[in-house]
Amino acid sequence: MKSVVIHAEGQVRVEERPVPDIQAADDVRVRVVCSGLCGSDIPRIFAKAAHYYPITLGHEFSGYVDVCGSGIDDLEAGDAVACVPLLPCFSCPECKKGYFSLCKQYQFVGSRSEGGNAEYIVVKRANLFRLPAEMAIEDGAFIEPITVGLHAFHLAQGCEGKNVIIVGAGTIGLLAMQCALALGAASVTAIDINDDKLALATSLGANRVFNSKTLSADEMLAALHETRFDQLVLETAGTPQTVALAIDIAGPRAQVVLVGTLHHDLNLSAATFGKILRKELTLQGSWMNYSAPWPGVEWETAARLLCEKKLRLEPLIALTGDSENFAHAIQALNGSPMQGKILLRLE
């Protein structure tokens, strides 16, 4: 089978690998149809941040069941599925409370084990989410990134009736923005430094957009004055500047949920820290995308919104290609962030 393989020196190669075999009763072999590159994959490729090399990445994928292990009776060949990449231990105190994202003894498809950027993959039954019959198979590759924002909303006790502000209009931010609109947010604001991304946010339904490169926090605060109460701010960009901005622009008693992963130290000024106190903000960390019962309401909600055609995915896609085109597009990034989702299409 063809597999897009990452080598430690940052080289992306299409290689022939053996089709993997079922090894255990709870194994499932999946014929992959579509797999997306995640922003978290970029340091694994270019910054030697993978757990081992060579490795086949890919934790955002969908496909069809090919073969099931002997212990599986709720899936059969031909069923459409999406990857649930986390495999928690299910037995530690965190797992027993349903805090699966916080398990310290987890495995992860496409990071700690081989991923879905290949024609076939074998995973555990717990790593698969059955797709509704009416869902397009390609849409299944977006469920995992959709659930990232939905998990933040879940931790914040929902977004209905709230004035939602998305700081960072990348793929995760724009998916979260669309989910907020579909789930009844009172208003949605998108903030970024890229005018093209902000134009896309507007086309996807944002009530207002701000370029934080040209507008100060005070100017944005003034523009948000009418929606300053019942605010839910999602920081999805993962930079020290955007974390500080999320706090600076938050309204009285706002919820600020930190979703983006930082790769540089965060040093808050005394003035910004003071705003956490003086505005009585609630800061919430959000890690991954799981809740009980496994894999969580986030996954059911993502599937429902996709089936109801509440989310537009096509405008978020920069490239859909076969193995060679996919590998070339990744190599061309050379460590830079994606400007739109890069998808591998295998049929």
Side-chain angles (χ1 to χ4, degrees):
M1 67 171 187
K2 287 186 177 180
S3 180
V4 180
V5 182
I6 309 302
H7 292 262
E9 63 272 24
Q11 293 188 10
V12 187
R13 304 175 191 168
V14 179
E15 299 178 358
E16 285 293 331
R17 294 287 183 90
V19 174
D21 292 323
I22 296 289
Q23 300 291 330
D26 61 341
D27 281 347
V28 181
R29 186 166 69 199
V30 176
R31 176 171 60 85
V32 179
V33 172
C34 196
S35 183
L37 182 71
C38 176
S40 67
D41 289 329
I42 294 175
R44 295 183 182 117
I45 299 166
F46 295 102
K48 299 184 178 180
H51 286 274
Y52 61 89
Y53 295 98
I55 185 171
T56 298
L57 300 176
H59 61 268
E60 303 176 2
F61 66 83
S62 56
Y64 296 103
V65 171
D66 183 51
V67 180
C68 290
S70 60
I72 295 171
D73 58 10
D74 61 341
L75 285 178
E76 59 184 26
D79 285 347
V81 291
C83 178
V84 180
L86 182 72
L87 186 63
C89 72
F90 294 111
S91 60
C92 69
E94 285 80 3
C95 284
K96 288 180 178 178
K97 283 185 172 291
Y99 303 162
F100 302 115
S101 295
L102 309 185
C103 177
K104 301 296 189 298
Q105 303 169 58
Y106 68 91
Q107 292 297 318
F108 201 89
V109 174
S111 167
R112 296 171 183 242
S113 65
E114 297 295 281
N117 293 342
E119 293 181 284
Y120 291 90
I121 183 174
V122 171
V123 296
K124 297 298 182 183
R125 171 64 185 89
N127 286 127
L128 296 176
F129 178 82
R130 186 201 297 271
L131 300 180
E134 62 270 30
M135 183 187 296
I137 189 67
E138 301 90 347
D139 291 358
F142 273 89
I143 289 186
E144 197 276 343
I146 290 168
T147 58
V148 173
L150 289 174
H151 185 60
F153 294 147
H154 175 69
L155 293 172
Q157 289 78 53
C159 61
E160 184 176 0
K162 296 177 182 178
N163 293 302
V164 176
I165 302 173
I166 306 293
V167 182
T171 300
I172 296 297
L174 291 173
L175 288 170
M177 186 197 83
Q178 293 186 71
C179 289
L181 289 165
L183 295 172
S187 71
V188 177
T189 299
I191 299 175
D192 204 279
I193 59 173
N194 185 312
D195 283 330
D196 291 337
K197 291 182 179 180
L198 294 175
L200 179 54
T202 299
S203 73
L204 293 173
N207 300 102
R208 56 182 72 77
V209 297
F210 300 132
N211 188 319
S212 56
K213 204 174 197 177
T214 58
L215 291 174
S216 68
D218 286 342
E219 289 172 317
M220 286 183 273
L221 268 174
L224 290 166
H225 183 74
E226 295 300 319
T227 57
R228 68 190 184 280
F229 295 110
D230 301 313
Q231 276 187 1
L232 171 55
V233 183
L234 260 65
E235 193 291 318
T236 67
T239 72
Q241 295 89 343
T242 48
V243 172
L245 178 62
I247 295 167
D248 287 339
I249 64 168
R253 293 198 173 181
Q255 296 171 288
V256 179
V257 185
L258 305 177
V259 178
T261 301
L262 287 178
H263 297 287
H264 301 283
D265 289 345
L266 172 66
N267 296 295
L268 292 181
S269 69
T272 296
F273 181 81
K275 290 172 185 176
I276 299 173
L277 307 183
R278 292 173 180 272
K279 291 190 285 189
E280 297 188 340
L281 302 181
T282 299
L283 264 62
Q284 172 77 58
S286 182
W287 185 243
M288 292 197 279
N289 37 3
Y290 306 93
S291 61
W294 176 261
V297 65
E298 301 91 332
W299 294 76
E300 299 293 342
T301 301
R304 175 175 64 82
L305 293 178
L306 286 169
C307 287
E308 293 174 353
K309 307 298 183 185
K310 296 290 181 66
L311 308 178
R312 292 174 58 198
L313 305 179
E314 188 62 32
L316 308 181
I317 300 172
L319 177 139
T320 300
D322 61 14
S323 298
E324 295 289 350
N325 290 331
F326 180 72
H328 178 75
I330 295 173
Q331 194 75 67
L333 291 173
N334 197 29
S336 299
M338 288 182 288
Q339 299 302 312
K341 182 63 74 175
I342 297 174
L343 291 176
L344 169 63
R345 178 74 191 216
L346 288 165
E347 76 168 26

